[in-house]
Amino acid sequence: MPWSRHSRRTHGAARAAAVAALLLVLLASAPSAEEKQLSIYGPRVSYSLPVSEHDGQEYVSLLEALEPFGNVSAGVAGAKWKLRFNKLEAEFRQNATVGKVAGQKFGLPAPFVLENNRGLVPLHALPAILGLMLATRTEYHEAGRRLFLGGAATHFTTDLRENGLSVNFSAPVNPLISTEPGKLVMTFTRDPVVANAYILKLENALVSSLTFVESNGQAELVVLGRVPLLAQFAADRRAIEIVPAPREAQSAPPAAVLGTAPEAGTALAAVAVPAPPTLQSLTARPPFVVMLDPGHGGDDRGALLSDTLEEKGVTLAFARRLRSELQGHGISALLSRDADVTVAVEQRAAMADAARVAVYISLHAASQGRGVRVYTAMINSASSKPGGFVPWDTAQARYVLSSRALADLVKAELSKHEIANSELSAPVKPLNNVAAAALAIEVAPSGADVGSVNAGVYQQRIAAAIAEAIVVGRARVEAER
Ligand SMILES: [Zn+2]
């Protein structure tokens, strides 16, 4: 757990594109308790399927997954459920974990479920089944529930200029765009948009960062801005230009217009821009969002926990579990990185502060000790005017009591879940620089086996305890923002 290791910053590549102006749409999107879904992206088709749960496992209908690709039929024959797709077959039995796919014996990670004659397979088995049935390469982004077939992918580059940011795509895109003060979100459901780096720290008068996030069958590009922003599509839909919202639009009341982008070529389709961040809106409380910061990544592998286990991978796996656990409780969660990329320690705090999150949690893993250690900053509590400038070195001072209250709750929930734990204050980077309730959580093995730090069941128990603590502590954290 090298807390203070600094790492190099990574920047995205840049490329320019001409953009025809087309004003767009915009409004704060309320986070809703969404249905779980999987998105599948093929070379010519993309679609989403509902994900259902049986005995705590996620399932999808195999017939519906194959339908967009050709002739498919299925039915029950004796004890077997048989599916035919073009000339291939798959067969499974109710509650069995072994079946057949395209002539091969096929093991499932959880029992096959037959529900109203619909054959449901565990979500985790679907990439391999589709790979065999469609004879294609598959790539599954588990945390985001996005499955890519046959190399389907739309890449993007960014080009930051003095007064705008262009995001240029390798194929036409059609995101849903929403804004709230200081933030513009492009949500891609049907476009197989993928990123090489997940966070780009961008510096100009307009934009402070661009983050790529995948969750629940969607990808989002989140732009944090210093002024109200507006998105404009190029006519070919291969570029989106982010510019400052015009002044007259800024003073207009927000209109409730949401939807996909207008047809290219239409004039001024809809304008709805949130109020500029005046003093009043800056002091208004931003939404309750938790930033999870998986320690290390990229060039910085963190501690070598065993011969094969690097801390950077353990922290990322745990962050993803904790994110879905929080989302399951209706709490919005962001990851500071959702890939194996290098992010400087200071940049992590800067991202939390720029996003004005309510809670920041730095995640680490260790091979020594047992259970979970919960750290808060070693800093004296101090009051400062909300909305005023906060000194970087002591940004945590105003929040440290709130941080400790939350740490107490995490400790209590861990004990309730019978996970060994301890709570300490320590000079852990970058907690002092975070202007929000901030913790560092270090996961050590459950017993003698070091590999347990990376075990799904163990991580899941810890994630559940932390999420419950945040649910219980939310009101207290909100009261001190
Ligand atoms: Zn560490």
Side-chain angles (χ1 to χ4, degrees), residues 12-47:
R15 179 167 69 80
V19 175
L22 195 64
L23 289 172
L24 228 243
V25 176
L26 308 172
L27 233 245
S29 60
S32 59
E34 310 158 287
E35 299 281 308
K36 282 189 179 179
Q37 62 175 9
L38 164 78
S39 290
I40 299 178
Y41 306 92
R44 278 178 301 279
V45 61
S46 69
Y47 56 103

PDB file of all heavy atoms in Angstrom, residues 12-47:
ATOM      1  N   GLY A  12      -5.041  12.256 -23.264  1.00  0.00           N
ATOM      2  CA  GLY A  12      -5.609  11.637 -24.458  1.00  0.00           C
ATOM      3  C   GLY A  12      -5.018  12.254 -25.709  1.00  0.00           C
ATOM      4  O   GLY A  12      -4.489  13.348 -25.705  1.00  0.00           O
ATOM      5  N   ALA A  13      -5.138  11.544 -26.771  1.00  0.00           N
ATOM      6  CA  ALA A  13      -4.675  12.059 -28.041  1.00  0.00           C
ATOM      7  C   ALA A  13      -5.626  13.152 -28.509  1.00  0.00           C
ATOM      8  O   ALA A  13      -6.720  13.312 -28.005  1.00  0.00           O
ATOM      9  CB  ALA A  13      -4.631  10.931 -29.049  1.00  0.00           C
ATOM     10  N   ALA A  14      -5.224  13.892 -29.491  1.00  0.00           N
ATOM     11  CA  ALA A  14      -6.068  14.997 -29.923  1.00  0.00           C
ATOM     12  C   ALA A  14      -6.200  15.042 -31.441  1.00  0.00           C
ATOM     13  O   ALA A  14      -5.305  14.671 -32.160  1.00  0.00           O
ATOM     14  CB  ALA A  14      -5.478  16.293 -29.410  1.00  0.00           C
ATOM     15  N   ARG A  15      -7.319  15.438 -31.905  1.00  0.00           N
ATOM     16  CA  ARG A  15      -7.526  15.546 -33.334  1.00  0.00           C
ATOM     17  C   ARG A  15      -8.634  16.580 -33.552  1.00  0.00           C
ATOM     18  O   ARG A  15      -9.581  16.643 -32.776  1.00  0.00           O
ATOM     19  CB  ARG A  15      -7.936  14.185 -33.900  1.00  0.00           C
ATOM     20  CG  ARG A  15      -8.211  14.182 -35.365  1.00  0.00           C
ATOM     21  CD  ARG A  15      -8.279  12.746 -35.871  1.00  0.00           C
ATOM     22  NE  ARG A  15      -9.432  12.003 -35.402  1.00  0.00           N
ATOM     23  CZ  ARG A  15     -10.646  12.113 -35.927  1.00  0.00           C
ATOM     24  NH1 ARG A  15     -10.882  12.956 -36.906  1.00  0.00           N
ATOM     25  NH2 ARG A  15     -11.628  11.399 -35.462  1.00  0.00           N
ATOM     26  N   ALA A  16      -8.543  17.337 -34.580  1.00  0.00           N
ATOM     27  CA  ALA A  16      -9.530  18.393 -34.783  1.00  0.00           C
ATOM     28  C   ALA A  16     -10.644  17.923 -35.713  1.00  0.00           C
ATOM     29  O   ALA A  16     -10.485  17.013 -36.480  1.00  0.00           O
ATOM     30  CB  ALA A  16      -8.848  19.621 -35.375  1.00  0.00           C
ATOM     31  N   ALA A  17     -11.773  18.510 -35.617  1.00  0.00           N
ATOM     32  CA  ALA A  17     -12.845  18.214 -36.561  1.00  0.00           C
ATOM     33  C   ALA A  17     -13.716  19.433 -36.727  1.00  0.00           C
ATOM     34  O   ALA A  17     -13.932  20.185 -35.800  1.00  0.00           O
ATOM     35  CB  ALA A  17     -13.675  17.051 -36.062  1.00  0.00           C
ATOM     36  N   ALA A  18     -14.189  19.625 -37.945  1.00  0.00           N
ATOM     37  CA  ALA A  18     -15.088  20.735 -38.195  1.00  0.00           C
ATOM     38  C   ALA A  18     -16.481  20.336 -37.727  1.00  0.00           C
ATOM     39  O   ALA A  18     -16.915  19.223 -37.899  1.00  0.00           O
ATOM     40  CB  ALA A  18     -15.102  21.054 -39.679  1.00  0.00           C
ATOM     41  N   VAL A  19     -17.148  21.250 -37.134  1.00  0.00           N
ATOM     42  CA  VAL A  19     -18.439  20.920 -36.554  1.00  0.00           C
ATOM     43  C   VAL A  19     -19.474  21.953 -36.983  1.00  0.00           C
ATOM     44  O   VAL A  19     -19.267  23.129 -36.848  1.00  0.00           O
ATOM     45  CB  VAL A  19     -18.337  20.925 -35.011  1.00  0.00           C
ATOM     46  CG1 VAL A  19     -19.697  20.714 -34.404  1.00  0.00           C
ATOM     47  CG2 VAL A  19     -17.381  19.839 -34.558  1.00  0.00           C
ATOM     48  N   ALA A  20     -20.551  21.489 -37.537  1.00  0.00           N
ATOM     49  CA  ALA A  20     -21.642  22.381 -37.887  1.00  0.00           C
ATOM     50  C   ALA A  20     -22.535  22.545 -36.665  1.00  0.00           C
ATOM     51  O   ALA A  20     -22.807  21.592 -35.962  1.00  0.00           O
ATOM     52  CB  ALA A  20     -22.440  21.801 -39.046  1.00  0.00           C
ATOM     53  N   ALA A  21     -22.929  23.743 -36.453  1.00  0.00           N
ATOM     54  CA  ALA A  21     -23.645  24.013 -35.211  1.00  0.00           C
ATOM     55  C   ALA A  21     -25.061  23.470 -35.245  1.00  0.00           C
ATOM     56  O   ALA A  21     -25.750  23.544 -36.233  1.00  0.00           O
ATOM     57  CB  ALA A  21     -23.684  25.513 -34.983  1.00  0.00           C
ATOM     58  N   LEU A  22     -25.448  22.917 -34.169  1.00  0.00           N
ATOM     59  CA  LEU A  22     -26.799  22.407 -34.040  1.00  0.00           C
ATOM     60  C   LEU A  22     -27.057  22.376 -32.552  1.00  0.00           C
ATOM     61  O   LEU A  22     -26.509  21.568 -31.849  1.00  0.00           O
ATOM     62  CB  LEU A  22     -26.838  21.008 -34.634  1.00  0.00           C
ATOM     63  CG  LEU A  22     -28.216  20.490 -34.899  1.00  0.00           C
ATOM     64  CD1 LEU A  22     -28.866  21.366 -35.969  1.00  0.00           C
ATOM     65  CD2 LEU A  22     -28.146  19.080 -35.401  1.00  0.00           C
ATOM     66  N   LEU A  23     -27.858  23.285 -32.118  1.00  0.00           N
ATOM     67  CA  LEU A  23     -28.045  23.356 -30.661  1.00  0.00           C
ATOM     68  C   LEU A  23     -28.914  22.202 -30.200  1.00  0.00           C
ATOM     69  O   LEU A  23     -29.716  21.679 -30.904  1.00  0.00           O
ATOM     70  CB  LEU A  23     -28.730  24.664 -30.297  1.00  0.00           C
ATOM     71  CG  LEU A  23     -27.835  25.866 -30.463  1.00  0.00           C
ATOM     72  CD1 LEU A  23     -28.646  27.128 -30.279  1.00  0.00           C
ATOM     73  CD2 LEU A  23     -26.704  25.811 -29.475  1.00  0.00           C
ATOM     74  N   LEU A  24     -28.724  21.868 -29.012  1.00  0.00           N
ATOM     75  CA  LEU A  24     -29.299  20.646 -28.475  1.00  0.00           C
ATOM     76  C   LEU A  24     -29.892  20.891 -27.114  1.00  0.00           C
ATOM     77  O   LEU A  24     -29.431  21.726 -26.424  1.00  0.00           O
ATOM     78  CB  LEU A  24     -28.124  19.733 -28.311  1.00  0.00           C
ATOM     79  CG  LEU A  24     -28.193  18.357 -28.809  1.00  0.00           C
ATOM     80  CD1 LEU A  24     -28.061  17.444 -27.642  1.00  0.00           C
ATOM     81  CD2 LEU A  24     -29.424  18.103 -29.560  1.00  0.00           C
ATOM     82  N   VAL A  25     -30.715  20.286 -26.807  1.00  0.00           N
ATOM     83  CA  VAL A  25     -31.440  19.604 -25.785  1.00  0.00           C
ATOM     84  C   VAL A  25     -31.002  19.733 -24.367  1.00  0.00           C
ATOM     85  O   VAL A  25     -30.011  19.333 -24.133  1.00  0.00           O
ATOM     86  CB  VAL A  25     -31.168  18.114 -26.025  1.00  0.00           C
ATOM     87  CG1 VAL A  25     -31.816  17.289 -24.950  1.00  0.00           C
ATOM     88  CG2 VAL A  25     -31.568  17.780 -27.386  1.00  0.00           C
ATOM     89  N   LEU A  26     -31.517  19.961 -23.379  1.00  0.00           N
ATOM     90  CA  LEU A  26     -30.688  19.604 -22.259  1.00  0.00           C
ATOM     91  C   LEU A  26     -31.390  19.700 -20.931  1.00  0.00           C
ATOM     92  O   LEU A  26     -32.086  20.612 -20.712  1.00  0.00           O
ATOM     93  CB  LEU A  26     -29.525  20.516 -22.164  1.00  0.00           C
ATOM     94  CG  LEU A  26     -28.808  20.591 -23.428  1.00  0.00           C
ATOM     95  CD1 LEU A  26     -27.780  21.638 -23.396  1.00  0.00           C
ATOM     96  CD2 LEU A  26     -28.192  19.346 -23.862  1.00  0.00           C
ATOM     97  N   LEU A  27     -31.118  18.829 -20.096  1.00  0.00           N
ATOM     98  CA  LEU A  27     -31.688  18.959 -18.769  1.00  0.00           C
ATOM     99  C   LEU A  27     -31.116  17.994 -17.783  1.00  0.00           C
ATOM    100  O   LEU A  27     -30.578  16.989 -18.126  1.00  0.00           O
ATOM    101  CB  LEU A  27     -33.169  18.730 -18.837  1.00  0.00           C
ATOM    102  CG  LEU A  27     -33.947  19.852 -18.198  1.00  0.00           C
ATOM    103  CD1 LEU A  27     -34.656  19.273 -16.998  1.00  0.00           C
ATOM    104  CD2 LEU A  27     -33.081  20.983 -17.704  1.00  0.00           C
ATOM    105  N   ALA A  28     -31.219  18.355 -16.568  1.00  0.00           N
ATOM    106  CA  ALA A  28     -30.709  17.475 -15.520  1.00  0.00           C
ATOM    107  C   ALA A  28     -31.476  16.164 -15.576  1.00  0.00           C
ATOM    108  O   ALA A  28     -32.685  16.142 -15.616  1.00  0.00           O
ATOM    109  CB  ALA A  28     -30.938  18.128 -14.177  1.00  0.00           C
ATOM    110  N   SER A  29     -30.743  15.072 -15.626  1.00  0.00           N
ATOM    111  CA  SER A  29     -31.432  13.788 -15.611  1.00  0.00           C
ATOM    112  C   SER A  29     -31.437  13.267 -14.191  1.00  0.00           C
ATOM    113  O   SER A  29     -30.412  13.160 -13.557  1.00  0.00           O
ATOM    114  CB  SER A  29     -30.726  12.802 -16.527  1.00  0.00           C
ATOM    115  OG  SER A  29     -29.407  12.614 -16.087  1.00  0.00           O
ATOM    116  N   ALA A  30     -32.603  12.992 -13.688  1.00  0.00           N
ATOM    117  CA  ALA A  30     -32.689  12.471 -12.321  1.00  0.00           C
ATOM    118  C   ALA A  30     -32.238  11.025 -12.315  1.00  0.00           C
ATOM    119  O   ALA A  30     -32.667  10.246 -13.143  1.00  0.00           O
ATOM    120  CB  ALA A  30     -34.122  12.568 -11.840  1.00  0.00           C
ATOM    121  N   PRO A  31     -31.327  10.681 -11.406  1.00  0.00           N
ATOM    122  CA  PRO A  31     -30.943   9.271 -11.341  1.00  0.00           C
ATOM    123  C   PRO A  31     -32.138   8.442 -10.877  1.00  0.00           C
ATOM    124  O   PRO A  31     -32.793   8.781  -9.923  1.00  0.00           O
ATOM    125  CB  PRO A  31     -29.828   9.251 -10.286  1.00  0.00           C
ATOM    126  CG  PRO A  31     -29.878  10.566  -9.597  1.00  0.00           C
ATOM    127  CD  PRO A  31     -30.708  11.500 -10.401  1.00  0.00           C
ATOM    128  N   SER A  32     -32.472   7.408 -11.609  1.00  0.00           N
ATOM    129  CA  SER A  32     -33.639   6.618 -11.236  1.00  0.00           C
ATOM    130  C   SER A  32     -33.190   5.208 -10.922  1.00  0.00           C
ATOM    131  O   SER A  32     -32.140   4.764 -11.339  1.00  0.00           O
ATOM    132  CB  SER A  32     -34.631   6.603 -12.394  1.00  0.00           C
ATOM    133  OG  SER A  32     -34.004   6.062 -13.533  1.00  0.00           O
ATOM    134  N   ALA A  33     -33.999   4.507 -10.171  1.00  0.00           N
ATOM    135  CA  ALA A  33     -33.703   3.105  -9.903  1.00  0.00           C
ATOM    136  C   ALA A  33     -34.003   2.337 -11.189  1.00  0.00           C
ATOM    137  O   ALA A  33     -35.136   2.024 -11.500  1.00  0.00           O
ATOM    138  CB  ALA A  33     -34.565   2.606  -8.761  1.00  0.00           C
ATOM    139  N   GLU A  34     -32.953   2.096 -11.980  1.00  0.00           N
ATOM    140  CA  GLU A  34     -33.174   1.520 -13.295  1.00  0.00           C
ATOM    141  C   GLU A  34     -33.321   0.017 -13.221  1.00  0.00           C
ATOM    142  O   GLU A  34     -32.803  -0.627 -12.337  1.00  0.00           O
ATOM    143  CB  GLU A  34     -31.968   1.793 -14.198  1.00  0.00           C
ATOM    144  CG  GLU A  34     -31.506   3.204 -14.248  1.00  0.00           C
ATOM    145  CD  GLU A  34     -30.047   3.291 -14.692  1.00  0.00           C
ATOM    146  OE1 GLU A  34     -29.149   2.946 -13.909  1.00  0.00           O
ATOM    147  OE2 GLU A  34     -29.838   3.683 -15.835  1.00  0.00           O
ATOM    148  N   GLU A  35     -33.993  -0.528 -14.217  1.00  0.00           N
ATOM    149  CA  GLU A  35     -34.009  -1.964 -14.427  1.00  0.00           C
ATOM    150  C   GLU A  35     -32.611  -2.363 -14.885  1.00  0.00           C
ATOM    151  O   GLU A  35     -31.964  -1.628 -15.615  1.00  0.00           O
ATOM    152  CB  GLU A  35     -35.002  -2.298 -15.537  1.00  0.00           C
ATOM    153  CG  GLU A  35     -36.423  -1.889 -15.240  1.00  0.00           C
ATOM    154  CD  GLU A  35     -37.095  -2.874 -14.312  1.00  0.00           C
ATOM    155  OE1 GLU A  35     -37.062  -4.082 -14.633  1.00  0.00           O
ATOM    156  OE2 GLU A  35     -37.617  -2.450 -13.279  1.00  0.00           O
ATOM    157  N   LYS A  36     -32.197  -3.551 -14.497  1.00  0.00           N
ATOM    158  CA  LYS A  36     -30.894  -4.016 -14.965  1.00  0.00           C
ATOM    159  C   LYS A  36     -30.977  -4.413 -16.431  1.00  0.00           C
ATOM    160  O   LYS A  36     -31.936  -5.075 -16.840  1.00  0.00           O
ATOM    161  CB  LYS A  36     -30.474  -5.244 -14.162  1.00  0.00           C
ATOM    162  CG  LYS A  36     -29.938  -4.920 -12.792  1.00  0.00           C
ATOM    163  CD  LYS A  36     -29.357  -6.165 -12.164  1.00  0.00           C
ATOM    164  CE  LYS A  36     -28.789  -5.843 -10.793  1.00  0.00           C
ATOM    165  NZ  LYS A  36     -28.239  -7.053 -10.156  1.00  0.00           N
ATOM    166  N   GLN A  37     -29.976  -4.030 -17.198  1.00  0.00           N
ATOM    167  CA  GLN A  37     -29.976  -4.424 -18.599  1.00  0.00           C
ATOM    168  C   GLN A  37     -28.570  -4.732 -19.097  1.00  0.00           C
ATOM    169  O   GLN A  37     -27.575  -4.294 -18.534  1.00  0.00           O
ATOM    170  CB  GLN A  37     -30.617  -3.336 -19.469  1.00  0.00           C
ATOM    171  CG  GLN A  37     -29.865  -2.017 -19.419  1.00  0.00           C
ATOM    172  CD  GLN A  37     -30.426  -0.974 -20.368  1.00  0.00           C
ATOM    173  OE1 GLN A  37     -31.475  -1.164 -20.961  1.00  0.00           O
ATOM    174  NE2 GLN A  37     -29.706   0.119 -20.517  1.00  0.00           N
ATOM    175  N   LEU A  38     -28.547  -5.528 -20.144  1.00  0.00           N
ATOM    176  CA  LEU A  38     -27.304  -5.876 -20.829  1.00  0.00           C
ATOM    177  C   LEU A  38     -27.396  -5.273 -22.222  1.00  0.00           C
ATOM    178  O   LEU A  38     -28.432  -5.391 -22.869  1.00  0.00           O
ATOM    179  CB  LEU A  38     -27.200  -7.402 -20.953  1.00  0.00           C
ATOM    180  CG  LEU A  38     -26.165  -7.926 -21.956  1.00  0.00           C
ATOM    181  CD1 LEU A  38     -24.773  -7.831 -21.368  1.00  0.00           C
ATOM    182  CD2 LEU A  38     -26.473  -9.382 -22.332  1.00  0.00           C
ATOM    183  N   SER A  39     -26.347  -4.648 -22.703  1.00  0.00           N
ATOM    184  CA  SER A  39     -26.343  -4.200 -24.097  1.00  0.00           C
ATOM    185  C   SER A  39     -25.390  -5.057 -24.903  1.00  0.00           C
ATOM    186  O   SER A  39     -24.297  -5.400 -24.432  1.00  0.00           O
ATOM    187  CB  SER A  39     -25.966  -2.727 -24.208  1.00  0.00           C
ATOM    188  OG  SER A  39     -27.020  -1.942 -23.692  1.00  0.00           O
ATOM    189  N   ILE A  40     -25.835  -5.434 -26.092  1.00  0.00           N
ATOM    190  CA  ILE A  40     -25.028  -6.254 -26.988  1.00  0.00           C
ATOM    191  C   ILE A  40     -24.767  -5.449 -28.258  1.00  0.00           C
ATOM    192  O   ILE A  40     -25.697  -4.891 -28.842  1.00  0.00           O
ATOM    193  CB  ILE A  40     -25.760  -7.575 -27.320  1.00  0.00           C
ATOM    194  CG1 ILE A  40     -26.005  -8.365 -26.021  1.00  0.00           C
ATOM    195  CG2 ILE A  40     -24.950  -8.413 -28.310  1.00  0.00           C
ATOM    196  CD1 ILE A  40     -26.748  -9.666 -26.199  1.00  0.00           C
ATOM    197  N   TYR A  41     -23.499  -5.368 -28.629  1.00  0.00           N
ATOM    198  CA  TYR A  41     -23.111  -4.587 -29.804  1.00  0.00           C
ATOM    199  C   TYR A  41     -22.488  -5.512 -30.831  1.00  0.00           C
ATOM    200  O   TYR A  41     -21.469  -6.152 -30.561  1.00  0.00           O
ATOM    201  CB  TYR A  41     -22.083  -3.517 -29.409  1.00  0.00           C
ATOM    202  CG  TYR A  41     -22.538  -2.625 -28.283  1.00  0.00           C
ATOM    203  CD1 TYR A  41     -22.231  -2.935 -26.969  1.00  0.00           C
ATOM    204  CD2 TYR A  41     -23.304  -1.482 -28.535  1.00  0.00           C
ATOM    205  CE1 TYR A  41     -22.661  -2.127 -25.922  1.00  0.00           C
ATOM    206  CE2 TYR A  41     -23.733  -0.675 -27.504  1.00  0.00           C
ATOM    207  CZ  TYR A  41     -23.410  -1.001 -26.198  1.00  0.00           C
ATOM    208  OH  TYR A  41     -23.843  -0.203 -25.163  1.00  0.00           O
ATOM    209  N   GLY A  42     -23.131  -5.624 -31.981  1.00  0.00           N
ATOM    210  CA  GLY A  42     -22.559  -6.412 -33.064  1.00  0.00           C
ATOM    211  C   GLY A  42     -22.128  -5.474 -34.169  1.00  0.00           C
ATOM    212  O   GLY A  42     -22.346  -4.264 -34.096  1.00  0.00           O
ATOM    213  N   PRO A  43     -21.512  -6.023 -35.214  1.00  0.00           N
ATOM    214  CA  PRO A  43     -21.055  -5.159 -36.298  1.00  0.00           C
ATOM    215  C   PRO A  43     -22.205  -4.385 -36.968  1.00  0.00           C
ATOM    216  O   PRO A  43     -22.016  -3.264 -37.405  1.00  0.00           O
ATOM    217  CB  PRO A  43     -20.426  -6.136 -37.298  1.00  0.00           C
ATOM    218  CG  PRO A  43     -20.071  -7.335 -36.483  1.00  0.00           C
ATOM    219  CD  PRO A  43     -21.096  -7.420 -35.387  1.00  0.00           C
ATOM    220  N   ARG A  44     -23.398  -4.980 -37.033  1.00  0.00           N
ATOM    221  CA  ARG A  44     -24.489  -4.293 -37.715  1.00  0.00           C
ATOM    222  C   ARG A  44     -25.690  -4.025 -36.831  1.00  0.00           C
ATOM    223  O   ARG A  44     -26.641  -3.383 -37.259  1.00  0.00           O
ATOM    224  CB  ARG A  44     -24.945  -5.111 -38.928  1.00  0.00           C
ATOM    225  CG  ARG A  44     -24.082  -4.915 -40.157  1.00  0.00           C
ATOM    226  CD  ARG A  44     -24.546  -5.791 -41.300  1.00  0.00           C
ATOM    227  NE  ARG A  44     -24.516  -7.199 -40.940  1.00  0.00           N
ATOM    228  CZ  ARG A  44     -23.404  -7.947 -40.967  1.00  0.00           C
ATOM    229  NH1 ARG A  44     -22.258  -7.414 -41.331  1.00  0.00           N
ATOM    230  NH2 ARG A  44     -23.452  -9.213 -40.624  1.00  0.00           N
ATOM    231  N   VAL A  45     -25.674  -4.513 -35.623  1.00  0.00           N
ATOM    232  CA  VAL A  45     -26.875  -4.427 -34.800  1.00  0.00           C
ATOM    233  C   VAL A  45     -26.465  -4.159 -33.353  1.00  0.00           C
ATOM    234  O   VAL A  45     -25.399  -4.603 -32.915  1.00  0.00           O
ATOM    235  CB  VAL A  45     -27.675  -5.745 -34.931  1.00  0.00           C
ATOM    236  CG1 VAL A  45     -26.862  -6.930 -34.445  1.00  0.00           C
ATOM    237  CG2 VAL A  45     -28.984  -5.682 -34.191  1.00  0.00           C
ATOM    238  N   SER A  46     -27.260  -3.376 -32.655  1.00  0.00           N
ATOM    239  CA  SER A  46     -27.031  -3.261 -31.217  1.00  0.00           C
ATOM    240  C   SER A  46     -28.378  -3.180 -30.522  1.00  0.00           C
ATOM    241  O   SER A  46     -29.322  -2.604 -31.041  1.00  0.00           O
ATOM    242  CB  SER A  46     -26.154  -2.057 -30.892  1.00  0.00           C
ATOM    243  OG  SER A  46     -26.848  -0.869 -31.145  1.00  0.00           O
ATOM    244  N   TYR A  47     -28.465  -3.784 -29.353  1.00  0.00           N
ATOM    245  CA  TYR A  47     -29.737  -3.868 -28.651  1.00  0.00           C
ATOM    246  C   TYR A  47     -29.481  -4.133 -27.175  1.00  0.00           C
ATOM    247  O   TYR A  47     -28.372  -4.480 -26.776  1.00  0.00           O
ATOM    248  CB  TYR A  47     -30.618  -4.969 -29.256  1.00  0.00           C
ATOM    249  CG  TYR A  47     -29.962  -6.330 -29.285  1.00  0.00           C
ATOM    250  CD1 TYR A  47     -30.297  -7.304 -28.357  1.00  0.00           C
ATOM    251  CD2 TYR A  47     -28.978  -6.626 -30.226  1.00  0.00           C
ATOM    252  CE1 TYR A  47     -29.687  -8.545 -28.374  1.00  0.00           C
ATOM    253  CE2 TYR A  47     -28.364  -7.855 -30.243  1.00  0.00           C
ATOM    254  CZ  TYR A  47     -28.711  -8.814 -29.314  1.00  0.00           C
ATOM    255  OH  TYR A  47     -28.085 -10.024 -29.316  1.00  0.00           O
TER     256      TYR A  47
END
